């Protein structure tokens, strides 16, 4: 449909910032008059459907002395212009997608402009300009001979798969032109804030990875800690602003948080969701066999968001959860309170923060070195309370969390099958029936979570607290727009 402001105004009635969106599209059509619009149903990776504005047209690209009109489709989200559009190639019957640095097998387009999208600085015209620049470096489509009937049929089948979302990305043996090497342990840390840099330093100190990539998504030249990492170069540490540098990572750590101006808690979370919408699909494209380790806030919800946006198996999407609290809790009990568990472990589980819960597994007995006696169930609760009081006085500085993350990464890369209290899909545990992520003791290996260790000692109070956390988290998730 040709551009009609009146028609658009009627069709975009559910868009939060309709007037801003229409005004911007008017400016695009002035420069690219071939663009047309329609409101169609978009299918997200999690299978959910939403009616969105489909803004389609061709952009002029010059490549090796020839001129091409590249067909693209921009799905404009209902939170535009505060969220970037979903960009796809729209190949005709005699075109095939050329998977490369900025395009995946399904025709999804990934650009730095999308990753750094920020209203009012970011606009669709600027996005198209960068798209043209990148496509002039690497053409995203190539022609198929119309006389090749077999190829035509294959192409039709392929386009049908794109439409239904059935393309098997795992069939690709090369990503970004680089051959996969199963023995090379590469880790990417996304976000160059204090936590991101602390992660890089901790991973490097442990020597857990063969290569660490720090993906800096901030605007402008390198500054602060990133600049210092450039100056005092560490072996096997690379700093980049391009998602292609993360290709073939075994673990990808997400430390980014939105710095938006949202006034409500829900608004803050939605800002993070909008940020992740431009990051997680790119991560899934370049490292589709990786384990995603989420450290962004709130970790339970952002781990759920990462799971949905990546379409990864639940075992390969985890959050840092209560790992640091658990390690401290166990240390306090054993070394400060001088109590040693006999055939049991002490854990911090549930929701990270104020609603975390101490739990026990194994035997019901604790040996106390101070009294050389046996402590019963009541004393177990007293011991936990004393340990929790000590734990409350311990803050979670970036370097502390970074050390905890490095420990998780070492368990994954070295397939240590160590038990960690991390955010995992808790559906089915403690009568939780919703898709929420909570910290549970998990065996961690190369492919992420291999098993959830359920507390052997039934505790109705613990179960009730976990169910309460799950209900509040699920309620927030239901209000988010993925």
């Amino acid at each position: 449909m040709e551009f009609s402001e009146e028609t658009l105004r009627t069709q975009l009635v559910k868009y939060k910032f309709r007037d801003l969106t229409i005004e911007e599209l008017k400016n695009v059509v002035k420069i690219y008059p071939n663009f047309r619009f329609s409101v169609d149903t978009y299918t997200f990776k999690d299978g959910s459907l939403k009616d969105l504005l489909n803004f389609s047209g061709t952009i002029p690209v010059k490549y090796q002395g020839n001129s091409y009109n590249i067909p693209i489709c921009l799905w404009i989200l209902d939170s535009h212009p505060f969220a970037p559009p979903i960009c796809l190639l729209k190949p005709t019957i005699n075109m095939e997608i050329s998977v490369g640095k900025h395009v995946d097998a399904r025709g999804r387009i990934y650009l730095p402009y999308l990753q750094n999208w920020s209203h009012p600085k970011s606009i669709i015209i600027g996005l198209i300009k960068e798209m043209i620049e990148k496509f002039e470096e690497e053409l995203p489509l190539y022609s198929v001979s119309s006389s090749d009937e077999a190829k035509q049929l294959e192409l039709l089948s392929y386009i049908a798969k794109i439409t239904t979302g059935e393309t098997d990305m795992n069939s690709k043996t090369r990503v970004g032109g680089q051959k996969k090497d199963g023995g090379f342990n590469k880790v990417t840390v996304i976000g160059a804030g204090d936590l991101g840099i602390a992660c890089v330093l901790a991973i490097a100190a442990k020597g857990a990875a063969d290569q660490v990539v720090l993906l800096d998504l901030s605007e402008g030249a390198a500054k602060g800690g990133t600049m210092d990492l450039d100056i005092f170069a560490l072996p096997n540490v690379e700093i980049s602003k391009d998602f292609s540098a993360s290709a073939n990572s075994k673990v990808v750590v997400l430390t980014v948080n939105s710095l938006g101006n949202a006034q409500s808690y829900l608004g803050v979370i939605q800002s993070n969701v909008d940020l992740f919408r431009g990051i997680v699909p790119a991560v899934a494209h370049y490292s589709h066999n990786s384990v995603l380790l989420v450290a962004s806030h709130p970790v339970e919800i952002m781990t759920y968001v990462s799971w949905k946006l990546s379409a990864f198996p639940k075992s390969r999407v985890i959050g840092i959860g209560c790992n640091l609290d658990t390690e401290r809790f166990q240390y306090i009990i054993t070394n400060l309170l001088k109590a040693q568990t006999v055939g049991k472990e002490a854990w911090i589980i549930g929701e990270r923060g104020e609603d975390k819960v101490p739990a026990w597994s194994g035997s019901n007995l604790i040996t106390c070195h101070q009294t050389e006696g046996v402590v019963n169930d009541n004393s177990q609760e007293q011991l936990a309370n004393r340990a929790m009081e000590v734990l409350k006085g311990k803050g979670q500085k970036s370097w502390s969390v970074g050390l905890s993350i490095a420990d998780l990464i070492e368990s994954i890369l070295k397939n240590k099958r160590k038990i960690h209290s991390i955010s995992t899909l808790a559906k089915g545990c403690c009568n939780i029936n919703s898709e929420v992520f909570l910290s549970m003791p998990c065996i961690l290996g190369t492919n992420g979570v291999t098993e959830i260790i359920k507390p052997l000692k039934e505790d109705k109070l613990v179960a009730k607290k976990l169910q309460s956390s799950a209900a509040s988290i699920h309620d927030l998730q239901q209000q988010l727009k993925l």
Side-chain angles (χ1 to χ4, degrees):
M1 184 183 297
E2 291 189 6
F3 189 87
S4 166
E5 185 174 345
E6 184 178 343
T7 304
L8 261 181
R9 194 171 297 280
T10 302
Q11 294 186 340
L12 302 186
V13 66
K14 292 185 179 180
Y15 275 57
K16 301 174 187 174
F17 310 101
R18 180 179 60 179
D19 292 343
L20 284 174
T21 300
I22 293 173
E23 193 63 32
E24 184 172 358
L25 296 181
K26 281 169 60 179
N27 294 331
V28 175
V29 171
K30 289 177 184 177
I31 301 175
Y32 304 100
N34 64 75
F35 271 76
R36 299 292 183 267
F37 73 88
S38 60
V39 174
D40 301 311
T41 301
Y42 183 82
T43 304
F44 291 92
K45 279 191 172 184
D46 63 355
S48 61
L49 306 175
K50 179 173 280 192
D51 289 337
L52 297 175
L53 178 64
N54 181 332
F55 200 51
S56 301
T58 60
I59 56 174
V61 172
K62 292 183 179 180
Y63 183 74
Q64 296 182 350
N66 297 315
S67 296
Y68 301 90
N69 289 317
I70 302 297
I72 63 168
C73 166
L74 308 180
W75 288 92
I76 310 299
L77 299 178
D78 55 7
S79 52
H80 190 86
F82 294 93
I86 298 169
C87 303
L88 297 165
L89 292 170
K90 197 176 180 183
T92 61
I93 193 171
N94 62 340
M95 294 179 181
E96 182 142 22
I97 295 167
S98 178
V99 176
K101 192 174 180 180
H102 300 291
V103 177
D104 68 14
R106 303 164 95 180
R108 181 78 178 259
I109 300 168
Y110 303 92
L111 297 170
Y113 201 95
L114 290 169
Q115 298 156 16
N116 299 320
W117 186 276
S118 176
H119 178 76
K121 182 178 179 181
S122 302
I123 57 175
I124 293 176
I125 291 175
L127 171 64
I128 292 175
K129 286 181 179 178
E130 182 173 281
M131 201 177 291
I132 292 171
E133 290 174 5
K134 298 300 182 183
F135 288 170
E136 287 181 344
E137 296 172 5
E138 188 177 45
L139 205 62
L141 297 169
Y142 62 88
S143 298
V144 178
S145 172
S146 57
S147 61
D148 189 347
E149 295 181 6
K151 191 68 176 178
Q152 288 280 62
L153 291 174
E154 183 183 340
L155 182 60
L156 284 170
S157 173
Y158 182 77
I159 292 174
K161 286 181 179 180
I162 293 174
T163 305
T164 58
E166 296 175 359
T167 306
D168 181 9
M169 290 185 62
N170 291 327
S171 67
K172 299 296 176 184
T173 59
R174 295 174 70 88
V175 179
Q178 297 180 3
K179 187 177 180 179
K180 293 180 183 177
D181 183 355
F184 189 75
N185 286 330
K186 179 177 177 180
V187 174
T188 293
V189 177
I190 299 179
D194 289 345
L195 178 55
I197 293 170
C199 287
V200 171
L201 295 175
I203 296 165
K206 266 187 171 286
D210 298 312
Q211 182 185 11
V212 183
V213 175
L214 177 61
L215 205 59
D216 182 6
L217 303 183
S218 60
E219 298 176 7
K223 56 185 178 180
T226 310
M227 183 177 70
D228 293 339
L229 284 179
D230 259 339
I231 295 170
F232 304 103
L234 293 175
N236 306 320
V237 173
E238 176 188 347
I239 302 169
S240 178
K241 287 183 173 290
D242 196 322
F243 268 101
S244 63
S246 69
N248 302 328
S249 294
K250 294 288 185 65
V251 182
V252 178
V253 186
L254 293 152
T255 71
V256 289
N257 287 290
S258 173
L259 299 177
N261 297 316
Q263 299 298 314
S264 66
Y265 182 56
L266 180 62
V268 171
I269 300 174
Q270 185 63 54
S271 294
N272 261 2
V273 172
D274 295 340
L275 178 64
F276 269 46
R277 197 183 290 122
I279 294 173
V280 175
V283 169
H285 164 55
Y286 285 112
S287 301
H288 51 262
N289 291 315
S290 64
V291 174
L292 297 186
L293 176 53
V294 182
S296 303
H297 300 300
V299 68
E300 293 82 15
I301 292 178
M302 297 318 298
T303 306
Y304 166 82
V305 169
S306 299
W307 176 51
K308 288 297 185 181
L309 292 176
S310 67
F312 278 11
K314 62 183 181 182
S315 60
R316 289 199 286 114
V317 184
I318 60 177
I320 60 172
C322 297
N323 185 61
L324 176 57
D325 280 329
T326 291
E327 295 291 342
R328 287 174 167 177
F329 188 61
Q330 294 175 353
Y331 181 87
I332 290 167
I333 289 174
T334 303
N335 295 283
L336 300 186
L337 301 181
K338 304 300 181 183
Q340 181 180 356
T341 58
V342 178
K344 69 170 58 191
E345 293 286 350
W347 304 95
I348 300 296
I349 62 174
E351 189 175 357
R352 187 168 181 257
E354 294 298 318
D355 294 319
K356 56 181 176 280
V357 184
W360 307 84
S361 62
S363 164
N364 291 331
L365 303 180
I366 298 176
T367 299
C368 182
H369 286 193
Q370 289 177 317
T371 62
E372 296 185 355
V374 175
V375 183
N376 60 24
D377 263 5
N378 291 331
S379 295
Q380 183 185 85
E381 184 179 350
Q382 293 174 11
L383 182 66
N385 290 338
R386 289 171 63 195
M388 290 294 284
E389 283 300 316
V390 177
L391 190 61
K392 283 180 182 178
K394 305 292 180 184
Q396 295 210 355
K397 303 295 184 184
S398 294
W399 63 268
S400 302
V401 180
L403 288 171
S404 173
I405 289 172
D407 188 48
L408 294 174
I409 289 171
E410 185 177 47
S411 289
I412 295 168
L413 295 182
K414 295 184 178 180
N415 198 28
K416 294 177 73 172
R417 295 184 59 80
K418 180 181 174 182
I419 302 176
H420 295 272
S421 182
I422 51 175
S423 306
T424 189
L425 188 64
K427 186 177 182 180
C429 297
C430 299
N431 294 320
I432 295 171
N433 298 316
S434 51
E435 291 184 336
V436 296
F437 282 69
L438 290 171
S439 279
M440 298 293 288
C442 298
I443 297 176
L444 202 54
T446 304
N447 295 315
V449 174
T450 60
E451 185 181 348
I452 298 176
I453 307 297
K454 297 178 181 178
L456 298 180
K457 177 175 178 290
E458 293 185 7
D459 190 322
K460 292 182 179 179
L461 182 60
V462 169
K464 186 176 180 180
K465 288 181 178 178
L466 293 180
Q467 290 162 9
S468 175
S469 288
S472 62
I473 290 170
H474 184 255
D475 180 60
L476 277 171
Q477 287 174 179
Q478 292 296 100
Q479 299 176 64
L480 297 173
K481 296 179 175 62
L482 292 181

